[in-house]
Amino acid sequence: MLITCWILYLAWMLAPWKMWTSTILLRIGLEIHVKNIGTGWAITMARIGTSLLLNKLKFLLIDISHTCLMQRSPIVAMPSWSAIAAVIAFMADLKHRILMVSDFFYPNFGGVENHIYYLSQCLLKLGHKVVVLTHAYGNRSGVRYMTGGLKVYYVPWRPFLMQNTFPTIYGTFPIIRTILLREKISLVHGHQAFSTLCHETLMHARTMGYKVVFTDHSLYGFADVGSIHMNKVLQFTLADVTRAICVSHTSKENTVLRSGLPPEKVFVIPNAVDTAMFKPAQQRLGRDEIVIVVISRLVYRKGADLLVEVIPEVCRLYPNVRFIVGGDGPKRVRLEEMREKHSLQDRVEMLGAVPHASVRSVLISGHIFLNSSLTEAFCIAILEAASCGLLTVSTRVGGVPEVLPDDMIVLAEPDPSDMVHAIRKAISILPNIDPQVMHDRVSFMWSLGRQAVLLGYDNRLFDMASVRTVAACKGYRGGA
């Protein structure tokens, strides 16, 4: 594209006819077409004339943009042709038509759903066209539009197991092909290894010649039947993937071993947090009552069974400790039974499902954030809590040790007694924690603009999820 623009620009600079050339070619082509003489040549000449005319108009627009930029720039001696080339490269690099694919999207709540939404919004702000493909949720079917003009295809398939559609391999091909052609997609970005729709779309997209990017958000094992089956599927669908993204080095090792991808194709791009949204409370909380916050899906993988044993023991050791539990899931019944059994109704508050927009208001009401996950690739909830000024206690699993430095988190083995010991240690060092200082440190380490600087990207990309945005686009362009 850039070479073509250079040739056209030099031709226009050297040609004495300038704008008349395109007009003459276009007129000759149309006249031949009207006389039905050499229809093929007529169409060709008409296309050439139209193309030259449009390119000339583009260069005129670029010259105007360059003039506006030069009025603000101190580098007045910069040659006009190099500035125009930079503007052309800038414009060419920002225009992609990206299809986000996953079985997990709104109105379902979770980390993958939030990630896809915020990444899409930032891609839209950067000038790209973004379309999301997912399955129907209840009566939400068909085409919907979200904030910023985000177009979402809720295809009329019902979830089969754990919000995943039934695997058909080729049954989804007609509608996937229709969407790819209708939206003129240039890059397909799939999310989550457990998503059936993601795997099928990546496979069909590569068959049709599209560039594809895959982001793995979770860790999986190698021994159980489900993991063995999933790893075989991953090896098949990612055999020809253009680029793969993982959220931690632990996740990269796991994905490379499971999928057989060359390590040079897999990039580690950690999650980040919107520190402008997750801020500490304006007034520091008192220490007379210590509040421990838990916000998580109440499922086995998130360690809900550990909470059933840890919460009563901590309440027994510290009469001034109170728990706030946000989240919903099949394990909520066990927590309700535990609260009834130990008569902790006034010390354990169950909030149920918490919308993402309300997470900060829950976090700033506590002193300590407790994460009891049994497996985590990164755990962005820890970043959100630390950005709100909370001291974190977490299990030492997966990529969690890569998230925060040792003085901002207390790690424990996924064992009830060790977790109780970690909470006791956190309570003892709580007086030394300044929420605002912790927020500033998280902003410095994990804000997306800071990550972009460390990875060498431009200041113009300092937006929400910009690092992943660039990774997806660079994957399409063929770079790292």
Side-chain angles (χ1 to χ4, degrees):
M1 177 63 184
L2 185 57
I3 296 175
T4 305
C5 292
W6 267 99
I7 295 173
L8 288 172
Y9 181 73
L10 291 175
W12 278 109
M13 291 298 294
L14 297 175
W17 331 291
K18 302 277 184 182
M19 185 73 79
W20 295 104
T21 306
S22 60
T23 307
I24 293 172
L25 287 174
L26 181 60
R27 183 174 179 178
I28 294 173
L30 292 176
E31 286 179 355
I32 295 176
H33 178 66
V34 170
K35 294 179 180 180
N36 294 323
I37 302 174
T39 307
W41 281 102
I43 294 175
T44 302
M45 295 183 70
R47 286 179 176 176
I48 292 173
T50 305
S51 176
L52 290 172
L53 179 61
L54 292 176
N55 274 285
K56 181 57 181 176
L57 293 176
K58 181 197 291 187
F59 284 122
L60 289 175
L61 183 61
I62 291 174
D63 282 332
I64 295 172
S65 303
H66 169 63
T67 303
C68 296
L69 289 172
M70 292 295 287
Q71 289 178 355
R72 300 181 180 180
S73 174
I75 311 177
V76 184
M78 179 184 292
S80 176
W81 52 266
S82 62
I84 292 175
V87 174
I88 294 172
F90 177 82
M91 293 175 64
D93 192 52
L94 281 185
K95 300 301 178 183
H96 300 284
R97 304 180 71 88
I98 303 168
L99 179 66
M100 298 283 180
V101 187
S102 181
D103 279 304
F104 308 99
F105 194 64
Y106 294 155
N108 193 47
F109 287 101
V112 178
E113 293 84 349
N114 290 331
H115 167 72
I116 296 174
Y117 174 76
Y118 286 113
L119 172 58
S120 300
Q121 290 298 325
C122 291
L123 283 164
L124 290 170
K125 291 179 181 178
L126 291 174
H128 303 285
K129 169 69 175 179
V130 184
V131 179
V132 177
L133 173 61
T134 187
H135 64 74
Y137 282 90
N139 60 353
R140 183 172 294 195
S141 181
V143 179
R144 301 290 184 96
Y145 285 88
M146 304 183 73
T147 306
L150 177 61
K151 190 175 184 179
V152 184
Y153 283 90
Y154 290 97
V155 295
W157 299 315
R158 301 300 175 185
F160 170 67
L161 177 66
M162 297 177 63
Q163 296 299 331
N164 279 279
T165 53
F166 184 78
T168 59
I169 302 180
Y170 292 103
T172 57
F173 177 68
I175 194 167
I176 291 173
R177 178 182 179 275
T178 301
I179 293 173
L180 289 173
L181 296 179
R182 176 189 294 174
E183 301 296 339
K184 300 179 181 178
I185 298 299
S186 60
L187 171 69
V188 179
H189 193 165
H191 296 265
Q192 190 62 305
F194 197 66
S195 172
T196 303
L197 182 59
C198 167
H199 289 297
E200 294 185 1
T201 305
L202 293 183
M203 180 185 67
H204 295 315
R206 287 302 297 138
T207 304
M208 295 176 65
Y210 289 92
K211 302 294 184 179
V212 299
V213 177
F214 172 72
T215 298
D216 201 353
H217 295 266
S218 302
L219 298 176
Y220 294 93
F222 301 89
D224 57 287
V225 176
S227 297
I228 293 173
H229 170 72
M230 181 54 60
N231 296 343
K232 292 297 182 182
V233 172
L234 206 63
Q235 292 174 12
F236 177 74
T237 56
L238 300 187
D240 198 25
V241 70
T242 309
R243 292 290 185 270
I245 302 173
C246 294
V247 296
S248 64
H249 292 281
T250 303
S251 177
K252 176 179 178 178
E253 294 176 5
N254 183 263
T255 301
V256 169
L257 290 174
R258 289 162 49 226
S259 64
L261 281 172
E264 59 270 15
K265 270 192 173 183
V266 184
F267 297 87
V268 177
I269 306 177
N271 284 322
V273 63
D274 185 4
T275 53
M277 177 179 178
F278 291 93
K279 296 180 179 180
Q282 294 182 353
Q283 295 182 351
R284 297 184 62 173
L285 300 176
R287 300 288 166 78
D288 296 334
E289 182 183 54
I290 298 175
V291 180
I292 300 178
V293 179
V294 179
I295 299 181
S296 170
R297 292 195 305 272
L298 301 181
V299 295
Y300 171 78
R301 188 176 71 86
K302 293 294 184 178
D305 296 310
L306 286 175
L307 294 176
V308 172
E309 300 185 41
V310 170
I311 291 177
E313 181 64 17
V314 174
C315 290
R316 184 185 67 82
L317 293 173
Y318 296 93
N320 63 331
V321 169
R322 184 168 63 89
F323 282 85
I324 298 178
V325 181
D328 205 351
K331 295 292 184 179
R332 179 176 179 176
V333 177
R334 288 208 61 192
L335 288 170
E336 297 279 4
E337 292 175 350
M338 174 271 297
R339 191 171 66 163
E340 296 290 336
K341 178 181 178 180
H342 297 278
S343 301
L344 297 175
Q345 292 87 345
D346 58 336
R347 300 183 62 184
V348 179
E349 182 180 358
M350 304 290 295
L351 300 179
V354 180
H356 192 257
S358 304
V359 170
R360 176 188 176 271
S361 61
V362 178
L363 289 173
I364 61 176
S365 62
H367 302 83
I368 297 174
F369 179 77
L370 178 60
N371 173 55
S372 59
S373 296
L374 301 180
T375 174
E376 284 286 357
F378 186 85
C379 192
I380 195 172
I382 292 177
L383 281 185
E384 295 173 348
S387 182
C388 289
L390 278 71
L391 178 62
T392 301
V393 176
S394 176
T395 49
R396 187 185 285 105
V397 294
V400 171
E402 303 178 29
V403 179
L404 293 173
D406 293 339
D407 59 336
M408 297 177 67
I409 186 171
V410 180
L411 297 174
E413 298 300 324
D415 177 75
S417 59
D418 200 24
M419 290 188 65
V420 171
H421 176 73
I423 293 175
R424 296 181 65 178
K425 180 180 178 181
I427 293 175
S428 65
I429 65 176
L430 195 59
N432 302 325
I433 300 298
D434 187 344
Q436 188 59 48
V437 172
M438 188 168 290
H439 170 79
D440 294 339
R441 293 180 65 184
V442 172
S443 299
F444 177 77
M445 292 184 295
W446 293 112
S447 65
L448 290 147
R450 175 61 179 171
Q451 292 186 57
V453 170
L454 294 176
L455 292 174
Y457 296 124
D458 295 337
N459 291 334
R460 62 185 172 86
L461 299 172
F462 289 0
D463 280 317
M464 169 61 64
S466 62
V467 176
R468 291 184 178 276
T469 297
V470 175
C473 295
K474 292 296 182 181
Y476 167 68
R477 303 292 293 181

